[in-house]
Amino acid sequence: MNTAAASAPEPESEAFGARLRRAMDTRGPLCVGIDPHSSLLHAWGLSDDVAGLTAFTRTVVEALADRVAVLKPQSAFFERFGSRGVAVLEQAVAEARAAGALVLMDAKRGDIGSTMAAYAATYLDKDSPLFSDAVTVSPYLGFGSLRPALDAARISGSGLFVLALTSNPEGAEVQRATTAGGPSVAQVMLDHMAAENAGATPLGSVGAVVGATLGEAGVNLAVNGPLLAPGIGAQGATPADLPGVFGAAVRNVVPSVSRGVLRAGPDVYALRAAAERFSDEVRTAVEGAEGAR
């Protein structure tokens, strides 16, 4: 008997994978990024300061938090304003979750030991003002370096999205590299995720980030967890591309759109219409792929 496993604390709430599956089935699978970069603030007629950041963020949350499955704030665009920007992020997380959206903090943290544990406490501890339903993490210090975050997520009922095959072309030099054992680095990471999700129903809580722009993934995506698919919209991918990239795993895809929706602002109704359009296109692509099998 594994004493350590037997004595591990039980999760305090329903697991993220189960909550995400329900949100995807009821609200649709779309994830909308909250990316208040300078050019987008200006396009909305807002100033590139904390006042503009606040107006932008409140508008996106008001427009979408009660209808999309996932909102994904990119922490860097808030951190660039220092403590006042982080305060805006804290408020956005709380308001979005109160309206029913799952919040995925796009922070891409990765480190070792106590530092990784501190990152985990920031986003995955229920007492933290930045507590989120899930957070993006980087495994490229070795998948085992994520253990503090994996443990923290299990306790709080949160999730992780682990970088596997990202949408930026530079990622291939690391992620597509082959290991001494033969498989690519990305496949090794995906295999670790599958092991973490083994036996979870209806969906595991450790997801993978796999770019929708890849054309064909070329890896085994059967990780029994969600697959965050950035790259739809401004980066060139479309919902129709999803079945070709994700194959049999397409039902577990969480397509992520940022500028494709956000540039419809600042009008609340235009933001909602843009999100609904992408959601409908995703639903059509996924249902068509499943019907063809």
Side-chain angles (χ1 to χ4, degrees), residues 17-161:
R19 292 187 287 121
L20 177 61
R21 178 77 273 163
R22 184 168 60 251
M24 292 169 69
D25 291 344
T26 57
R27 293 187 169 201
L30 192 68
C31 167
V32 177
I34 305 179
D35 296 2
H37 50 74
S38 178
S39 61
L40 194 51
L41 292 177
H42 287 307
W44 278 33
L46 298 172
S47 53
D48 188 17
D49 55 19
V50 174
L53 175 75
T54 302
F56 176 94
T57 306
R58 285 178 174 168
T59 300
V60 176
V61 172
E62 176 191 349
L64 302 177
D66 65 346
R67 61 197 64 218
V68 302
V70 182
L71 284 177
K72 181 174 69 66
Q74 167 48 258
S75 64
F77 292 119
F78 295 85
E79 293 170 21
R80 69 191 182 102
F81 293 107
S83 61
R84 292 181 300 161
V86 173
V88 175
L89 179 59
E90 291 174 1
Q91 188 69 23
V93 170
E95 292 178 356
R97 297 188 75 233
L102 298 176
V103 172
L104 167 57
M105 184 64 69
D106 195 358
K108 297 184 180 69
R109 301 305 193 215
D111 216 303
I112 60 172
S114 59
T115 308
M116 190 69 239
Y119 282 137
T122 301
Y123 304 109
L124 303 172
D125 186 322
K126 288 188 173 182
D127 291 330
S128 170
L130 284 172
F131 174 69
S132 303
D133 296 283
V135 63
T136 56
V137 292
S138 173
Y140 293 111
L141 288 172
F143 193 87
S145 67
L146 300 179
R147 181 53 53 191
L150 291 161
D151 290 344
R154 179 180 179 275
I155 292 168
S156 64
S158 302
L160 300 179
F161 281 89

Side-chain angles (χ1 to χ4, degrees), residues 212 232 237-246 250 278 281-286 289:
I232 293 176
T238 70
D241 295 324
L242 295 174
V245 177
F246 294 93
V250 72
F278 274 106
E281 290 176 5
V282 168
R283 186 178 294 108
T284 298
V286 171

